[in-house]
Structure formats: structure tokens, C-alpha cells
Amino acid sequence: AKAEPATPTSPPTAPRDMTDPEVLLFLGDLARAWPDAQTELHYTTPFTLLVAVVLSAQATDASVNRVTPALFAAAPTPQAMAALGDEQVGELIRTIGLWRNKAKNVVALSRQLLAEHGGQIPHTREALEKLAGVGRKTANVVLNVAFNQPTVPVDTHVFRLANRSGLGRGRTVEAVEKKLEVRIPLPMMRDSHHWLILQGRYVCKARKPECWRCAAQQSCLYPDKTPLPRPKATRTGA
């Protein structure tokens, strides 16, 4: 079973897509805002990255990072993870959402890696998506982060930000991904994944974007920008 995040059906959108010069300006602003951007998931090998990304579906990276040290200490390889089994993996990850299903998937994909790939992580999206619990977004993250391929993983943060800013609007994750693949210049494609996730996670938030502190405020096409909050009045003594 796949465990990819659900796609919002009606994200707030810019009135149009950015032009190519506007795309460059917007991404340049984000690059300066996040110069050292990288995944916030903790991992040491392509296998531990794959497992961490599978666990992160519908869960925060912080919650995953709290359970993976013990998990990877017990099972750093597909062989060890398969030997650990569903129940023991489940005990180690039970504080994250959907942990029972994720435990089964992690063990199952480990067995698939051993049976079909000699215990190695495949380097293609098609092969990765055949693994238990691995959908398109997870496959793209592994290809991008572990193997330096210019993929554009679209999670809920990227989906929201691309629609809201005008970087690449679309009603589905795959539609947004296809737009971003043709609109983002190839030299910026791999790093832009991290810029977009971090910007969406910490600045362009779902309920209310914090536009007043956005480095790309001027290049973003979203018309309903959130103004700087007024300071709360302080009470003075009588």
C-alpha cells in the first residue's frame, strides 16, 4: 500500500503562471533565503533515506527523526530490517502516524530489495515505485537526494507554494510536477526542491502565509499577501 500525502483539491492560487523571467527572479530569491538547504530527514545511506521518506508520509520530519536513530541502530540494512520483522519495527516507530502500515511497508520493501535488487536501492523512478509504500513523491525524493538526479518531488508544501506563487499552478500533484519540470531551469532543479519545501514549511504556511518575512514577496504573484501583524497593545499600570 502506498502512503503518499493527500492532495488538497482547491489550493489558493495566483491569477496566472509566472513568466520565465519571473521564475528566475522568484527562485533566485529563494536560493538566497535558503543557501544551505537540504533535507531535514536524518539518514546515512540511500537505504536509510528511503526508509525515512516512507515513514515521513503524513508525518512531520521531526517526528520521524525522533524514531529513526533507534530504528537504524537496530536495522541499518535491508537484511537487518527484514530480519527485524513487522512487530519489532512497529515497536520502534509507534509514535508516528500510520505506524502499523508503515512498519509492514518498510519490512516488505526491504525484502523486495533483497529479492529483486541485490539489497541495493534502484536508481529509477519506475523501479522505486514498485517497492511497498513508495509512491511518486517518495521515489523523486530518493532520486534527488541520494542520487543527485534533477527531479522535482511535490509534497503538500511544494504543491501549495507552486499554486499560491504562480511558479506552476495545477489541480493535482502530478500536474504541478510536470509544470515545474519544464519551468524550472535544469541547473536549479535539484536544489529548488529543498528551497520550495523549506519556504512552504516555515514561511508560506497553509493557514496564513507569513508574507511580511518572505524573501520572495516581491516576485510572488499571490494577490492576497498577509501584511505585517500589528504589535499587541501592552497594558500599562494604573
Side-chain angles (χ1 to χ4, degrees):
K2 306 300 181 186
E4 295 286 305
T7 301
T9 54
S10 300
T13 62
R16 61 175 176 83
D17 284 337
M18 293 179 183
T19 63
D20 289 345
E22 288 171 336
V23 168
L24 286 175
L25 182 61
F26 181 75
L27 292 177
D29 289 340
L30 294 188
R32 287 184 288 274
W34 305 101
D36 303 311
Q38 58 186 334
T39 181
E40 294 188 309
L41 290 169
H42 298 166
Y43 73 98
T44 55
T45 65
F47 173 70
T48 56
L49 174 66
L50 173 62
V51 171
V53 180
V54 169
L55 296 181
S56 71
Q58 300 180 54
T60 65
D61 287 1
S63 69
V64 173
N65 289 337
R66 285 193 289 269
V67 302
T68 49
L71 177 64
F72 295 153
T77 65
Q79 294 90 337
M81 193 73 73
L84 205 57
D86 298 2
E87 290 190 13
Q88 291 187 67
V89 171
E91 285 299 314
L92 291 169
I93 68 168
R94 63 184 305 146
T95 58
I96 63 174
L98 306 175
W99 62 271
R100 288 186 179 85
N101 193 50
K102 290 178 181 179
K104 292 178 181 178
N105 283 336
V106 165
V107 172
L109 72 83
S110 298
R111 290 171 178 162
Q112 286 177 277
L113 291 173
L114 294 171
E116 301 168 17
H117 301 284
Q120 301 300 308
I121 307 300
H123 287 53
T124 68
R125 181 190 290 132
E126 181 182 15
L128 284 166
E129 286 192 64
K130 292 180 180 177
L131 300 174
V134 178
R136 187 178 184 89
K137 188 270 293 186
T138 296
N140 278 337
V141 171
V142 172
L143 294 174
N144 180 296
V145 176
F147 302 129
N148 300 319
Q149 295 188 23
T151 61
V152 188
V154 178
D155 67 355
T156 55
H157 300 299
V158 176
F159 182 79
R160 177 177 67 253
L161 180 58
N163 273 287
R164 185 180 272 161
S165 67
L167 182 62
R169 300 173 304 163
R171 289 186 174 274
T172 67
V173 164
E174 192 162 348
V176 169
E177 180 187 325
K178 288 180 178 178
K179 273 201 173 181
L180 296 182
E181 284 179 339
V182 299
R183 295 170 62 77
I184 296 176
L186 187 60
M188 305 176 84
M189 192 171 293
R190 181 172 177 270
D191 289 336
S192 67
H193 159 60
H194 302 295
W195 305 334
L196 295 171
I197 284 181
L198 294 175
Q199 187 74 6
R201 180 176 292 161
Y202 296 113
V203 181
C204 196
K205 299 176 180 180
R207 291 188 179 180
K208 181 181 288 188
E210 298 180 0
C211 303
W212 69 89
R213 66 183 191 91
C214 175
Q217 180 180 174
Q218 297 302 316
S219 51
C220 171
L221 301 183
Y222 186 57
D224 301 321
K225 291 185 173 67
T226 309
L228 177 68
R230 293 182 179 179
K232 294 181 179 180
T234 56
R235 294 182 178 181
T236 57

